[in-house]
Amino acid sequence: MTNATKTKHTTIYVVTAATEATKIVAVKQAGVPSAAASDIDISCWDDDFDQFVAGRKATGETSLEVIYDATDHEKIEALYQTGETTEFLVLAPASEIAAATAPTVTASAFQAVTTVDNIKFKGYVKDFAIQMQDNDVWRATITIKGSGQRTVTKGA
């Protein structure tokens, strides 16, 4: 696997205003919502085996673990409070030593990014749980419920 994408310098952005993208900082772990298809049973009495076809894809949820900072995560907290559906964008690193250029937002949507591999999806912040334990930093788990299809774009 020579072309594996490393997490170092991967960035995640969220649309927080009509022309504004906010980088989600201090990420320790992240994912993208899955979209498992439902099963539609097309079996009938003449069949010896059950038969199925794919149905509608049910968009799932994912979570991000971050080292929590009230200032750095203020806009994520605001999205949690409002329940607003917005766009998220995960950008692969530009190189071994640099993150991709910050994306552009127009009319509350990310403009296409073609320079690096990326995944774009819509969703809302379903939960924003803050945890503390002895001899550690504050951490938060941000749960995002996906809405609709994700878009995977291969960088040039």
Side-chain angles (χ1 to χ4, degrees):
M1 187 176 267
T2 59
N3 293 324
T5 303
K6 296 180 182 177
T7 54
K8 183 178 180 183
H9 299 301
T10 294
T11 50
I12 303 173
Y13 288 88
V14 59
V15 172
T16 52
T19 59
E20 177 183 81
T22 298
K23 181 180 174 185
I24 301 176
V25 299
V27 176
K28 296 284 292 173
Q29 176 277 325
V32 174
S34 65
S38 61
D39 300 321
I40 298 175
D41 187 345
I42 59 168
S43 306
C44 67
W45 292 351
D46 296 329
D47 295 327
D48 290 332
F49 294 91
D50 290 340
Q51 297 184 44
F52 297 90
V53 295
R56 182 175 49 238
K57 291 177 175 58
T59 307
E61 55 188 50
T62 193
S63 62
L64 286 72
E65 180 187 334
V66 298
I67 298 173
Y68 177 75
D69 180 276
T71 301
D72 288 341
H73 297 105
E74 181 177 24
K75 291 182 180 180
I76 306 302
E77 175 71 23
L79 287 171
Y80 167 63
Q81 295 299 330
T82 66
E84 175 186 352
T85 298
T86 189
E87 283 192 340
F88 293 82
L89 181 64
V90 181
L91 295 170
S95 70
E96 289 282 330
I97 58 170
T101 303
T104 303
V105 176
T106 305
S108 299
F110 288 109
Q111 295 303 299
V113 175
T114 58
T115 54
V116 297
D117 294 353
N118 62 86
I119 304 170
K120 181 170 57 172
F121 62 93
K122 288 185 179 181
Y124 66 91
V125 179
K126 181 176 179 176
D127 194 13
F128 192 162
I130 302 167
Q131 305 92 22
M132 294 138 255
Q133 66 183 20
D134 184 40
N135 199 33
D136 199 1
V137 296
W138 286 22
R139 298 179 187 272
T141 302
I142 302 164
T143 304
I144 301 167
K145 174 66 176 176
S147 179
Q149 182 176 358
R150 68 184 181 203
T151 304
V152 178
T153 302
K154 176 83 175 122

PDB file of all heavy atoms in Angstrom, residues 98-120:
ATOM      1  N   ALA A  98       2.857  19.473   4.880  1.00  0.00           N
ATOM      2  CA  ALA A  98       1.941  20.614   4.825  1.00  0.00           C
ATOM      3  C   ALA A  98       0.493  20.188   4.657  1.00  0.00           C
ATOM      4  O   ALA A  98       0.192  19.211   3.964  1.00  0.00           O
ATOM      5  CB  ALA A  98       2.322  21.528   3.663  1.00  0.00           C
ATOM      6  N   ALA A  99      -0.374  20.955   5.285  1.00  0.00           N
ATOM      7  CA  ALA A  99      -1.816  20.762   5.124  1.00  0.00           C
ATOM      8  C   ALA A  99      -2.273  21.366   3.797  1.00  0.00           C
ATOM      9  O   ALA A  99      -1.583  22.196   3.208  1.00  0.00           O
ATOM     10  CB  ALA A  99      -2.561  21.423   6.274  1.00  0.00           C
ATOM     11  N   ALA A 100      -3.435  20.958   3.355  1.00  0.00           N
ATOM     12  CA  ALA A 100      -4.024  21.538   2.140  1.00  0.00           C
ATOM     13  C   ALA A 100      -4.438  22.977   2.413  1.00  0.00           C
ATOM     14  O   ALA A 100      -4.665  23.376   3.565  1.00  0.00           O
ATOM     15  CB  ALA A 100      -5.241  20.716   1.722  1.00  0.00           C
ATOM     16  N   THR A 101      -4.541  23.746   1.375  1.00  0.00           N
ATOM     17  CA  THR A 101      -4.999  25.130   1.469  1.00  0.00           C
ATOM     18  C   THR A 101      -6.435  25.155   1.970  1.00  0.00           C
ATOM     19  O   THR A 101      -7.255  24.310   1.590  1.00  0.00           O
ATOM     20  CB  THR A 101      -4.927  25.805   0.082  1.00  0.00           C
ATOM     21  OG1 THR A 101      -3.578  25.702  -0.389  1.00  0.00           O
ATOM     22  CG2 THR A 101      -5.349  27.249   0.143  1.00  0.00           C
ATOM     23  N   ALA A 102      -6.747  26.128   2.816  1.00  0.00           N
ATOM     24  CA  ALA A 102      -8.104  26.261   3.347  1.00  0.00           C
ATOM     25  C   ALA A 102      -9.105  26.410   2.206  1.00  0.00           C
ATOM     26  O   ALA A 102      -8.835  27.102   1.226  1.00  0.00           O
ATOM     27  CB  ALA A 102      -8.184  27.461   4.286  1.00  0.00           C
ATOM     28  N   PRO A 103     -10.271  25.771   2.314  1.00  0.00           N
ATOM     29  CA  PRO A 103     -11.258  25.832   1.243  1.00  0.00           C
ATOM     30  C   PRO A 103     -12.007  27.166   1.215  1.00  0.00           C
ATOM     31  O   PRO A 103     -12.023  27.913   2.185  1.00  0.00           O
ATOM     32  CB  PRO A 103     -12.215  24.694   1.587  1.00  0.00           C
ATOM     33  CG  PRO A 103     -12.129  24.604   3.079  1.00  0.00           C
ATOM     34  CD  PRO A 103     -10.701  24.919   3.424  1.00  0.00           C
ATOM     35  N   THR A 104     -12.637  27.419   0.083  1.00  0.00           N
ATOM     36  CA  THR A 104     -13.450  28.616  -0.106  1.00  0.00           C
ATOM     37  C   THR A 104     -14.919  28.246   0.031  1.00  0.00           C
ATOM     38  O   THR A 104     -15.343  27.175  -0.429  1.00  0.00           O
ATOM     39  CB  THR A 104     -13.203  29.202  -1.513  1.00  0.00           C
ATOM     40  OG1 THR A 104     -11.806  29.481  -1.648  1.00  0.00           O
ATOM     41  CG2 THR A 104     -13.999  30.467  -1.741  1.00  0.00           C
ATOM     42  N   VAL A 105     -15.693  29.139   0.655  1.00  0.00           N
ATOM     43  CA  VAL A 105     -17.129  28.924   0.835  1.00  0.00           C
ATOM     44  C   VAL A 105     -17.880  30.045   0.127  1.00  0.00           C
ATOM     45  O   VAL A 105     -17.557  31.217   0.280  1.00  0.00           O
ATOM     46  CB  VAL A 105     -17.503  28.910   2.336  1.00  0.00           C
ATOM     47  CG1 VAL A 105     -19.010  28.797   2.517  1.00  0.00           C
ATOM     48  CG2 VAL A 105     -16.780  27.784   3.057  1.00  0.00           C
ATOM     49  N   THR A 106     -18.882  29.667  -0.651  1.00  0.00           N
ATOM     50  CA  THR A 106     -19.772  30.612  -1.308  1.00  0.00           C
ATOM     51  C   THR A 106     -21.200  30.107  -1.125  1.00  0.00           C
ATOM     52  O   THR A 106     -21.464  28.920  -1.344  1.00  0.00           O
ATOM     53  CB  THR A 106     -19.467  30.716  -2.815  1.00  0.00           C
ATOM     54  OG1 THR A 106     -18.086  31.046  -2.983  1.00  0.00           O
ATOM     55  CG2 THR A 106     -20.312  31.774  -3.483  1.00  0.00           C
ATOM     56  N   ALA A 107     -22.101  30.994  -0.717  1.00  0.00           N
ATOM     57  CA  ALA A 107     -23.521  30.641  -0.535  1.00  0.00           C
ATOM     58  C   ALA A 107     -23.680  29.415   0.364  1.00  0.00           C
ATOM     59  O   ALA A 107     -24.430  28.487   0.071  1.00  0.00           O
ATOM     60  CB  ALA A 107     -24.203  30.436  -1.878  1.00  0.00           C
ATOM     61  N   SER A 108     -22.938  29.400   1.482  1.00  0.00           N
ATOM     62  CA  SER A 108     -23.004  28.338   2.497  1.00  0.00           C
ATOM     63  C   SER A 108     -22.611  26.958   1.981  1.00  0.00           C
ATOM     64  O   SER A 108     -23.053  25.942   2.508  1.00  0.00           O
ATOM     65  CB  SER A 108     -24.395  28.279   3.130  1.00  0.00           C
ATOM     66  OG  SER A 108     -24.697  29.503   3.770  1.00  0.00           O
ATOM     67  N   ALA A 109     -21.751  26.903   0.955  1.00  0.00           N
ATOM     68  CA  ALA A 109     -21.291  25.623   0.407  1.00  0.00           C
ATOM     69  C   ALA A 109     -19.817  25.725   0.036  1.00  0.00           C
ATOM     70  O   ALA A 109     -19.355  26.766  -0.431  1.00  0.00           O
ATOM     71  CB  ALA A 109     -22.112  25.250  -0.816  1.00  0.00           C
ATOM     72  N   PHE A 110     -19.096  24.630   0.236  1.00  0.00           N
ATOM     73  CA  PHE A 110     -17.693  24.583  -0.158  1.00  0.00           C
ATOM     74  C   PHE A 110     -17.582  24.596  -1.675  1.00  0.00           C
ATOM     75  O   PHE A 110     -18.346  23.920  -2.369  1.00  0.00           O
ATOM     76  CB  PHE A 110     -17.008  23.322   0.369  1.00  0.00           C
ATOM     77  CG  PHE A 110     -16.772  23.329   1.845  1.00  0.00           C
ATOM     78  CD1 PHE A 110     -17.499  22.503   2.688  1.00  0.00           C
ATOM     79  CD2 PHE A 110     -15.811  24.161   2.402  1.00  0.00           C
ATOM     80  CE1 PHE A 110     -17.273  22.507   4.056  1.00  0.00           C
ATOM     81  CE2 PHE A 110     -15.576  24.173   3.761  1.00  0.00           C
ATOM     82  CZ  PHE A 110     -16.315  23.344   4.593  1.00  0.00           C
ATOM     83  N   GLN A 111     -16.621  25.342  -2.183  1.00  0.00           N
ATOM     84  CA  GLN A 111     -16.294  25.279  -3.598  1.00  0.00           C
ATOM     85  C   GLN A 111     -15.491  24.000  -3.826  1.00  0.00           C
ATOM     86  O   GLN A 111     -14.844  23.492  -2.916  1.00  0.00           O
ATOM     87  CB  GLN A 111     -15.482  26.512  -4.008  1.00  0.00           C
ATOM     88  CG  GLN A 111     -16.266  27.803  -3.879  1.00  0.00           C
ATOM     89  CD  GLN A 111     -17.546  27.768  -4.697  1.00  0.00           C
ATOM     90  OE1 GLN A 111     -17.505  27.634  -5.908  1.00  0.00           O
ATOM     91  NE2 GLN A 111     -18.686  27.853  -4.033  1.00  0.00           N
ATOM     92  N   ALA A 112     -15.529  23.477  -5.036  1.00  0.00           N
ATOM     93  CA  ALA A 112     -14.843  22.228  -5.352  1.00  0.00           C
ATOM     94  C   ALA A 112     -13.353  22.338  -5.054  1.00  0.00           C
ATOM     95  O   ALA A 112     -12.721  23.344  -5.353  1.00  0.00           O
ATOM     96  CB  ALA A 112     -15.056  21.872  -6.814  1.00  0.00           C
ATOM     97  N   VAL A 113     -12.811  21.289  -4.450  1.00  0.00           N
ATOM     98  CA  VAL A 113     -11.371  21.186  -4.189  1.00  0.00           C
ATOM     99  C   VAL A 113     -10.857  20.056  -5.068  1.00  0.00           C
ATOM    100  O   VAL A 113     -11.349  18.933  -4.986  1.00  0.00           O
ATOM    101  CB  VAL A 113     -11.094  20.878  -2.700  1.00  0.00           C
ATOM    102  CG1 VAL A 113      -9.609  20.649  -2.474  1.00  0.00           C
ATOM    103  CG2 VAL A 113     -11.623  21.984  -1.801  1.00  0.00           C
ATOM    104  N   THR A 114      -9.871  20.361  -5.911  1.00  0.00           N
ATOM    105  CA  THR A 114      -9.349  19.350  -6.831  1.00  0.00           C
ATOM    106  C   THR A 114      -7.861  19.086  -6.623  1.00  0.00           C
ATOM    107  O   THR A 114      -7.301  18.231  -7.297  1.00  0.00           O
ATOM    108  CB  THR A 114      -9.587  19.780  -8.289  1.00  0.00           C
ATOM    109  OG1 THR A 114      -8.961  21.050  -8.504  1.00  0.00           O
ATOM    110  CG2 THR A 114     -11.071  19.883  -8.601  1.00  0.00           C
ATOM    111  N   THR A 115      -7.239  19.808  -5.702  1.00  0.00           N
ATOM    112  CA  THR A 115      -5.790  19.670  -5.518  1.00  0.00           C
ATOM    113  C   THR A 115      -5.411  18.490  -4.633  1.00  0.00           C
ATOM    114  O   THR A 115      -4.311  17.959  -4.757  1.00  0.00           O
ATOM    115  CB  THR A 115      -5.211  20.955  -4.905  1.00  0.00           C
ATOM    116  OG1 THR A 115      -5.931  21.254  -3.705  1.00  0.00           O
ATOM    117  CG2 THR A 115      -5.324  22.116  -5.881  1.00  0.00           C
ATOM    118  N   VAL A 116      -6.291  18.085  -3.718  1.00  0.00           N
ATOM    119  CA  VAL A 116      -6.016  16.955  -2.818  1.00  0.00           C
ATOM    120  C   VAL A 116      -7.258  16.074  -2.720  1.00  0.00           C
ATOM    121  O   VAL A 116      -8.382  16.525  -2.972  1.00  0.00           O
ATOM    122  CB  VAL A 116      -5.615  17.422  -1.395  1.00  0.00           C
ATOM    123  CG1 VAL A 116      -4.321  18.213  -1.414  1.00  0.00           C
ATOM    124  CG2 VAL A 116      -6.728  18.204  -0.724  1.00  0.00           C
ATOM    125  N   ASP A 117      -7.057  14.821  -2.333  1.00  0.00           N
ATOM    126  CA  ASP A 117      -8.190  13.941  -2.068  1.00  0.00           C
ATOM    127  C   ASP A 117      -9.033  14.572  -0.965  1.00  0.00           C
ATOM    128  O   ASP A 117      -8.484  15.149  -0.006  1.00  0.00           O
ATOM    129  CB  ASP A 117      -7.728  12.567  -1.599  1.00  0.00           C
ATOM    130  CG  ASP A 117      -6.966  11.788  -2.656  1.00  0.00           C
ATOM    131  OD1 ASP A 117      -6.887  12.250  -3.817  1.00  0.00           O
ATOM    132  OD2 ASP A 117      -6.442  10.711  -2.313  1.00  0.00           O
ATOM    133  N   ASN A 118     -10.355  14.455  -1.091  1.00  0.00           N
ATOM    134  CA  ASN A 118     -11.217  15.029  -0.054  1.00  0.00           C
ATOM    135  C   ASN A 118     -12.573  14.353  -0.035  1.00  0.00           C
ATOM    136  O   ASN A 118     -12.974  13.709  -1.012  1.00  0.00           O
ATOM    137  CB  ASN A 118     -11.360  16.544  -0.240  1.00  0.00           C
ATOM    138  CG  ASN A 118     -11.998  16.929  -1.541  1.00  0.00           C
ATOM    139  OD1 ASN A 118     -13.218  16.992  -1.643  1.00  0.00           O
ATOM    140  ND2 ASN A 118     -11.177  17.187  -2.575  1.00  0.00           N
ATOM    141  N   ILE A 119     -13.252  14.502   1.089  1.00  0.00           N
ATOM    142  CA  ILE A 119     -14.595  13.957   1.265  1.00  0.00           C
ATOM    143  C   ILE A 119     -15.478  15.071   1.808  1.00  0.00           C
ATOM    144  O   ILE A 119     -15.143  15.694   2.819  1.00  0.00           O
ATOM    145  CB  ILE A 119     -14.605  12.760   2.239  1.00  0.00           C
ATOM    146  CG1 ILE A 119     -13.628  11.676   1.775  1.00  0.00           C
ATOM    147  CG2 ILE A 119     -16.018  12.199   2.382  1.00  0.00           C
ATOM    148  CD1 ILE A 119     -13.389  10.581   2.788  1.00  0.00           C
ATOM    149  N   LYS A 120     -16.592  15.311   1.120  1.00  0.00           N
ATOM    150  CA  LYS A 120     -17.527  16.349   1.534  1.00  0.00           C
ATOM    151  C   LYS A 120     -18.853  15.687   1.881  1.00  0.00           C
ATOM    152  O   LYS A 120     -19.305  14.775   1.182  1.00  0.00           O
ATOM    153  CB  LYS A 120     -17.706  17.366   0.407  1.00  0.00           C
ATOM    154  CG  LYS A 120     -18.644  18.507   0.745  1.00  0.00           C
ATOM    155  CD  LYS A 120     -18.628  19.632  -0.275  1.00  0.00           C
ATOM    156  CE  LYS A 120     -18.945  19.215  -1.664  1.00  0.00           C
ATOM    157  NZ  LYS A 120     -19.116  20.332  -2.607  1.00  0.00           N
TER     158      LYS A 120
END
